[in-house]
Amino acid sequence: MIPKHWQGAIDVIKSIENAGFEAFIVGGAVRDYYLNKKNHDVDIATSALPEEIQAIFPQTIDVGIEHGTVLVMHKGEPIEVTTYRTESTYSDHRRPDAVHFVRNLAEDLKRRDFTMNAMALSQTGEYIDLYEGRKHIDEQLICAVGIAAERFGEDALRMLRAVRFAAQLNFTIEAETFAAIGQQATSIELIAMERIQVELSKIFTASHVAQGIHYLETSGLAAYLPGQFDATAWHNFNSDNRQVGWAYFCLVNEDATLLTNYRCSNKDKQFTKLVLEAYDCLIRGVKRIDLLRFDLDVLQTAYQFMKLRKQEVTITWQEVQQRKQALPIQSAKELAITGQDVMMWSAKKRGPWIKETLEAAVSAVVNGEVTNDKQQLKDWFHATIDEG
Ligand code: ATP
Ligand code: MG
């Protein structure tokens, strides 16, 4: 009954138990197991200290000893093992002032955010469920462990995590937990944008994204986050690609600079920029040169967005693809001439005209004005660019 891909984790737990310590599967893996959902990373919590774990296994990697985490290499597979810990006083709403290792599982479960994430599973398949995690999962409730207001006071990111889990699981945020978010929403501003970005990415790619956006609005969190969050815009949106999610967020907001606010990568920014440009091209009527410039995935994303935004679409997706495939070249790189060639054909000095000429040549080829052939392009060059 324990999933096959957990065999490595079970072996590791058994070894730890044989050495006289406790070890359990904990956190998201237990939640997803109870939900019958696939979860790839299995976390193990143990009563053994990091150095005791290192002594049990021949091959370990020290990834975060100060937080109690050791990677155990088991048959080439890395398995994360973390010592039971508590987190004492949080003076800044985002980090514990100190991490203390403890020998007691209950202490470790108590510091976790939501009841569904605060369960442990033994290697024999027995649940340790001290906070009614399974009951709340059955009721589809996201419920803070302990007093919600205190828990969000310790770490404000948990408020956003509550919304994220609601969007992923289509669960309701339990009333007291929800009220506490409303009261403390402003403290989300204390959290690093990179961490907020991670949670928003998960909301944008969740199966019930509109539910998540709705929660951002109604909890008050949205007021303290850059950009507008309007659930109606997200009702039919569905993507498992975070870049597509961020591009859509920017489209809805008509503001690509939001990616800077959220510290998104340059790659994310580039994708969004291209999608928004392709979107505008599709609206004006897509030209051949546009079809050359944008990759199929960018065009497809922009096309999807047109439909979502209920823009009038005069061309089918099939036609877009066909017209792109029918272009004489599929990339500007396929042009039969280079800057060297045009330099040789002209008496003019090196300068920006070379790049402009190559662009004009690409346009001419794409629009069927000249064949992509060196000699033909030379004739075209003398006839239209360099008449001297
Ligand atoms: P996912 O499936 O998205 O990875 P997860 O529940 O595994 O979800 P993680 O961020 O990987 O989430 O964290 C693993 C576990 O650590 C959580 O299940 C929870 O028990 C605990 N945890 C993570 N972040 C926090 C937090 N900010 N406050 C309290 N407990 C947390
Ligand atoms: Mg996880």
Side-chain angles (χ1 to χ4, degrees):
M1 82 178 220
I2 294 236
K4 250 206 185 91
H5 63 276
W6 281 9
Q7 193 50 53
I10 302 293
D11 292 347
V12 167
I13 292 177
K14 285 183 180 160
S15 302
I16 298 172
E17 288 179 348
N18 287 340
F21 302 99
E22 289 176 13
F24 294 89
I25 294 170
V26 288
V30 185
R31 174 197 69 226
D32 290 344
Y33 174 68
Y34 186 69
L35 278 164
N36 244 322
K37 281 196 174 200
K38 261 218 152 82
N39 181 312
H40 293 283
D41 38 86
V42 176
D43 295 327
I44 294 174
T46 179
S47 60
L49 293 170
E51 51 272 28
E52 290 167 335
I53 292 297
Q54 287 168 325
I56 297 170
F57 297 95
Q59 205 191 350
T60 60
I61 302 170
D62 169 0
V63 283
I65 277 225
E66 62 292 357
H67 301 112
T69 303
V70 171
L71 273 190
V72 171
M73 294 306 296
H74 175 78
K75 296 184 180 163
E77 179 197 3
I79 293 171
E80 208 172 291
V81 179
T82 305
T83 302
Y84 297 157
R85 58 181 206 216
T86 59
E87 292 167 355
S88 61
T89 55
Y90 296 69
S91 37
D92 62 359
H93 303 274
R94 47 190 167 161
R95 273 177 249 122
D97 297 333
V99 168
H100 295 289
F101 299 143
V102 291
R103 294 285 189 181
N104 180 330
L105 174 67
E107 288 281 305
D108 182 273
L109 297 179
K110 196 175 161 187
R111 70 164 171 96
R112 294 176 184 269
D113 49 5
F114 306 110
T115 57
M116 63 182 182
N117 290 342
M119 301 187 286
L121 192 68
S122 77
Q123 49 102 353
T124 56
E126 181 199 348
Y127 284 94
I128 292 84
D129 179 8
L130 308 176
Y131 300 100
E132 303 191 297
R134 285 171 297 178
K135 175 170 171 272
H136 293 148
I137 290 175
D138 292 341
E139 294 168 347
Q140 307 200 303
L141 277 182
I142 294 158
C143 186
V145 172
I147 298 166
E150 287 176 9
R151 306 312 312 286
F152 296 141
E154 292 166 0
D155 179 358
L157 187 73
R158 289 172 187 158
M159 300 188 289
L160 207 48
R161 284 174 58 87
V163 173
R164 184 258 277 196
F165 288 119
Q168 289 179 325
L169 302 171
N170 198 21
F171 278 19
T172 303
I173 302 176
E174 175 275 329
E176 193 189 315
T177 303
F178 184 73
I181 298 178
Q183 282 152 15
Q184 299 185 38
T186 169
S187 65
I188 198 68
E189 289 184 323
L190 301 165
I191 299 297
M193 275 299 179
E194 289 80 355
R195 295 179 74 201
I196 292 179
Q197 185 214 116
V198 169
E199 295 304 324
L200 283 182
S201 299
K202 291 184 182 180
I203 294 174
F204 295 157
T205 53
S207 319
H208 306 277
V209 53
Q211 158 94 326
I213 305 288
H214 179 73
Y215 264 133
L216 290 178
E217 289 181 276
T218 54
S219 66
L221 282 170
Y224 303 97
L225 297 170
Q228 298 294 314
F229 294 85
D230 171 12
T232 53
W234 292 83
H235 271 126
N236 297 309
F237 180 88
N238 200 278
S239 175
D240 56 8
N241 179 328
R242 50 176 296 289
Q243 276 188 339
V244 173
W246 282 99
Y248 190 67
F249 179 59
C250 290
L251 178 82
V252 169
N253 275 278
E254 297 178 30
D255 182 4
T257 67
L258 284 166
L259 298 187
T260 305
N261 290 285
Y262 285 103
R263 309 272 186 278
C264 291
S265 68
N266 287 335
K267 247 181 147 171
D268 291 349
K269 288 180 190 167
Q270 183 60 17
F271 181 76
T272 289
K273 181 172 168 275
L274 289 170
V275 168
L276 298 192
E277 283 172 16
Y279 183 85
D280 287 339
C281 288
L282 284 167
I283 287 192
R284 297 194 307 260
V286 68
K287 299 204 185 82
R288 286 170 160 221
I289 196 72
D290 304 325
L291 293 170
L292 180 80
R293 189 157 78 91
F294 300 116
D295 287 342
L296 211 54
D297 68 324
V298 167
L299 285 166
Q300 189 170 21
T301 304
Y303 191 87
Q304 259 174 23
F305 288 2
M306 298 254 300
K307 296 221 144 167
L308 284 171
R309 301 301 284 161
K310 307 224 159 49
Q311 294 288 336
E312 200 192 331
V313 191
T314 50
I315 179 172
T316 66
W317 171 241
Q318 191 94 15
E319 283 165 341
V320 174
Q321 281 174 289
Q322 280 166 355
R323 286 181 52 190
K324 185 172 169 64
Q325 272 160 19
L327 295 175
I329 52 175
Q330 287 302 308
S331 152
K333 287 182 200 135
E334 289 174 28
L335 191 68
I337 58 168
T338 66
Q340 288 289 346
D341 295 323
V342 293
M343 279 274 288
M344 279 192 346
W345 298 335
S346 171
K348 277 195 264 180
K349 283 216 179 90
R350 192 184 283 280
W353 69 273
I354 297 176
K355 190 169 166 256
E356 287 158 17
T357 299
L358 292 175
E359 280 166 10
V362 167
S363 266
V365 167
V366 163
N367 291 318
E369 292 155 23
V370 55
T371 310
N372 187 30
D373 166 89
K374 198 160 175 174
Q375 186 56 47
Q376 305 249 3
L377 279 161
K378 187 176 179 183
D379 296 345
W380 166 86
F381 175 76
H382 287 305
T384 62
I385 308 271
D386 192 81
E387 290 160 40

